[in-house]
Amino acid sequence: MSGPQSAGAAATRGGAHAAPLSGSTPLLEVSAVTKRYGNTVALGGVSLRLDRGEVIGLAGENGAGKSTLLKAISGNVRPDSGTIRVGGRPVAFHSYRDAVREGVFHIYQELALIPSLTVYENVLLAHEDAFSRMGVISNRRMREHVSALLEEFGHGRIDARRPVADYDFSARQVIEIIKAFALAKLLGIEAPVMLLDEPTAALSGGEVDFLFSLIESIRSRAAIVFVSHRLSEVIGISDRIYILKDGSLIADMPSEGVAEDRLHELMVGRKREEFFYREQAQRTPEEKPLLELAGLSHAGSFSGVDLTVRAGEIVGVAGLVGSGKSSLARAVVGALPDVTGRVRVDGTDLPRLTIKSVAAAGVGYLPPDRRDGVIPVFSVARNMTLARLTRPGEPALLDLSAEARDSAQLVASLGIKTPGVGALLSSLSGGNQQKALIGRWLLRDAKVLVLDNPTNGVDAGAKEEIYAVLRQIVANGVGILLVSDDLPELIGLSNRILVMRAGTIVKELSAPPDAKPVEADVVAHMV
């Protein structure tokens, strides 16, 4: 097991997939679909086939065309040319509602549920008329319909009467998938096409296993397209893998026996470097401590945590869901109330842990979901300079020319791919958005960075670029506290690894560049 990148995949590969119900007529067939935005070719004549009972994986870097293809299939984008057939019949969807009527369901990473509504209200939203008589909607019949489906799929523990807000993210994904089957049943569709777009990006290892078991349970009665940046998951859950690059389909292969390195080479156009995590650049840290925690505790999350991060050092924190590692990261940056214990930054004790006081002391933070850190309607420059605006001693009036100059310099040094610093941050790929958020704290001269899953939801090529940025940062004397569910990443980047279990640090492992621990060494202390 190696966190969410391999836990679900390993579980799936442990047993045989159900055989796809192949025949002369595929459930979904895409032929030579093209989509252009101005001079940019988002899709260049892409074709694929999907049979009932089959899961196909869709892999590619950010900007390869994966999302555009899914949107074209589901009616959210109209192709310029090409044909799409569902059940052998050509279709021309003008909206997502058209696609749903034909049994095509697009399930996004950002779930489309309304937290304040009940489970059954969410599942049957906009289809209540199927449960009305004489213009009166029967809530009882709606509840019974949804409850029966939850039981049928082995998730009767989800109460159809409770608000969606009562359930965690993994349970909400179950609800989204059940919703697709509920609507398909209402519409008389025997086997829906389900487009799962990065469904594991915000899930922990155990939640990924949970989702994969659900996919295995439904695959015989559906056809599924699975998209993930985690290549081990694509290999583990798929029967076949399609690879997109620059809007074109460059490979269609069986998943059995495919290595991650081979997928990486096809996606980015080069072999994965021998030193993917830049281990050869790992430096010996200075003696000077930049971040010191002593007896840090938060009721119900963690207790008695002692750790030190020195200048030029990356200290990794490993642990299962519920170990307290992400709560620890939030506590260090002042985002958790009622934390006790001592925090010292660059030799100075912080009497109060607040977001403002910690940032003023020189500690920056990247949350596990970059949507919590970016302001999409702001420019690249404005997003990068936000943290500096509140730095003590900054002029009261914003110097726009200095903002543009400084952000442009950092864009160049971090290799951020953008049309310019005035472009909206939302127009950048996920990996470049992450680099911009890191740049935000460098512009504020942060001494310590606390990073929680910094490569979450980015492709292999972008990960490699982010790793290079992190090595560059520590070479300049910054200290990094790295929390990650990706064990290979944690092992490859860290000087030392602290393993948390049940809210306490139970083991410290040295990770020098020439003697890295293996995943089993870390996992042995996590469970």
Side-chain angles (χ1 to χ4, degrees):
M1 174 177 158
S2 61
Q5 279 204 303
S6 64
T12 301
R13 277 293 173 208
H17 289 162
L21 303 180
S22 300
S24 58
T25 303
L27 199 53
L28 172 69
E29 188 173 16
V30 177
S31 301
V33 165
T34 299
K35 180 64 182 179
R36 294 181 178 86
Y37 294 98
N39 293 325
T40 301
V41 179
L43 293 174
V46 173
S47 301
L48 62 80
R49 170 190 175 119
L50 180 60
D51 294 306
R52 178 175 174 174
E54 187 176 30
V55 178
I56 64 168
L58 197 58
E61 291 190 279
N62 286 328
K66 303 186 302 298
S67 293
T68 304
L69 178 59
L70 295 191
K71 289 176 181 177
I73 294 171
S74 62
N76 291 299
V77 163
R78 294 194 66 182
D80 298 324
S81 61
T83 60
I84 297 173
R85 291 180 173 85
V86 177
R89 295 181 300 102
V91 294
F93 300 143
H94 298 281
S95 67
Y96 179 57
R97 189 174 180 86
D98 288 347
V100 168
R101 290 194 186 101
E102 295 292 335
V104 177
F105 299 89
H106 193 167
I107 299 173
Y108 292 88
Q109 174 187 341
E110 300 87 6
L111 301 182
L113 300 174
I114 301 174
S116 60
L117 295 183
T118 64
V119 171
Y120 79 85
E121 288 171 326
N122 269 283
V123 168
L124 299 174
L125 189 65
H127 294 270
E128 297 86 352
D129 55 345
F131 299 88
S132 67
R133 290 178 181 172
M134 305 291 290
V136 178
I137 296 172
S138 173
N139 289 319
R140 178 184 58 78
R141 290 175 57 216
M142 290 172 64
R143 287 194 301 270
E144 290 174 350
H145 182 81
V146 174
S147 295
L149 278 171
L150 290 167
E151 289 287 352
E152 180 182 347
F153 286 97
H155 293 282
R157 67 177 184 85
I158 297 176
D159 188 342
R161 299 167 297 179
R162 290 175 59 184
V164 162
D166 288 352
Y167 292 100
D168 61 19
F169 194 88
S170 60
R172 294 186 194 192
Q173 283 194 315
V174 171
I175 295 168
E176 281 273 25
I177 292 173
I178 299 297
K179 178 178 180 178
F181 279 97
L183 298 183
K185 190 172 183 178
L186 283 179
L187 297 168
I189 296 162
E190 183 180 355
V193 174
M194 306 188 69
L195 312 177
L196 304 184
D197 194 354
E198 292 285 353
T200 63
L203 299 184
S204 65
E207 291 171 327
V208 172
D209 289 335
F210 180 71
L211 176 64
F212 276 28
S213 66
L214 176 61
I215 292 174
E216 286 298 327
S217 71
I218 66 174
R219 66 189 297 150
S220 64
R221 61 179 91 182
I224 299 170
V225 179
F226 179 84
V227 177
S228 176
H229 286 307
R230 297 167 177 170
L231 299 184
S232 61
E233 292 180 353
V234 174
I235 295 169
I237 198 65
S238 305
D239 298 294
R240 290 183 296 115
I241 301 172
Y242 287 90
I243 298 177
L244 292 174
K245 181 174 176 58
D246 299 328
S248 297
L249 180 66
I250 61 169
D252 169 10
M253 62 183 70
S255 62
E256 193 68 44
V258 174
E260 286 187 54
D261 285 352
R262 177 57 179 156
L263 292 187
H264 180 277
E265 181 181 357
L266 290 167
M267 286 167 51
V268 305
R270 63 184 184 276
K271 290 185 178 181
R272 188 193 294 258
E273 292 190 14
E274 181 181 357
F275 301 111
F276 185 56
Y277 301 102
R278 301 296 196 273
E279 295 173 20
Q280 76 279 14
Q282 182 172 315
R283 59 172 290 180
T284 301
E286 301 172 19
E287 291 299 320
K288 177 184 180 181
L290 289 180
L291 175 67
E292 298 170 271
L293 309 183
L296 206 68
S297 302
H298 181 262
S301 302
F302 56 85
S303 62
V305 172
D306 301 327
L307 67 81
T308 300
V309 179
R310 294 173 290 176
E313 182 179 37
I314 298 178
V315 176
V317 183
L320 299 174
V321 177
S323 64
K325 63 184 190 300
S326 287
S327 296
L328 175 65
R330 294 180 61 221
V332 171
V333 298
L336 275 186
D338 304 320
V339 174
T340 59
R342 190 186 74 181
V343 176
R344 176 179 290 179
V345 178
D346 199 15
T348 301
D349 285 331
L350 301 185
R352 295 180 63 245
L353 279 182
T354 64
I355 293 174
K356 183 177 180 179
S357 68
V358 172
V363 180
Y365 175 56
L366 248 66
D369 187 341
R370 62 177 169 270
R371 292 172 298 177
D372 294 333
V374 305
I375 301 180
V377 296
F378 278 13
S379 67
V380 173
R382 186 58 48 83
N383 268 280
M384 293 178 72
T385 55
L386 275 176
R388 192 170 68 177
L389 296 179
T390 57
R391 185 173 59 182
E394 281 293 310
L397 296 177
L398 180 62
D399 186 338
L400 295 178
S401 62
E403 176 186 71
R405 181 190 66 244
D406 293 348
S407 56
Q409 290 175 352
L410 207 53
V411 161
S413 66
L414 297 182
I416 298 173
K417 297 181 181 66
T418 175
V421 296
L424 293 181
L425 191 68
S426 57
S427 68
L428 273 59
S429 69
N432 285 297
Q433 288 185 29
Q434 285 291 73
K435 287 192 281 186
L437 291 180
I438 294 171
R440 172 186 296 174
W441 294 106
L442 298 183
L443 278 176
R444 184 163 172 145
D445 300 323
K447 303 167 185 175
V448 177
L449 291 180
V450 179
L451 311 179
D452 192 343
N453 284 285
T455 61
N456 186 22
V458 303
D459 59 60
K463 284 185 178 184
E464 194 171 357
E465 294 172 356
I466 290 173
Y467 298 152
V469 167
L470 298 184
R471 291 298 186 198
Q472 175 186 336
I473 289 170
V474 294
N476 291 327
V478 173
I480 294 178
L481 184 65
L482 173 65
V483 173
S484 180
D485 291 315
D486 184 341
L487 284 188
E489 172 179 278
L490 200 69
I491 293 168
L493 291 176
S494 302
N495 296 76
R496 293 180 292 123
I497 299 169
L498 306 177
V499 182
M500 291 191 72
R501 187 174 70 235
T504 61
I505 293 176
V506 296
K507 184 68 175 179
E508 177 177 321
L509 297 169
S510 179
D514 56 348
K516 292 287 185 181
V518 298
E519 293 180 52
D521 295 334
V522 183
V523 172
H525 301 285
M526 290 168 56
V527 296

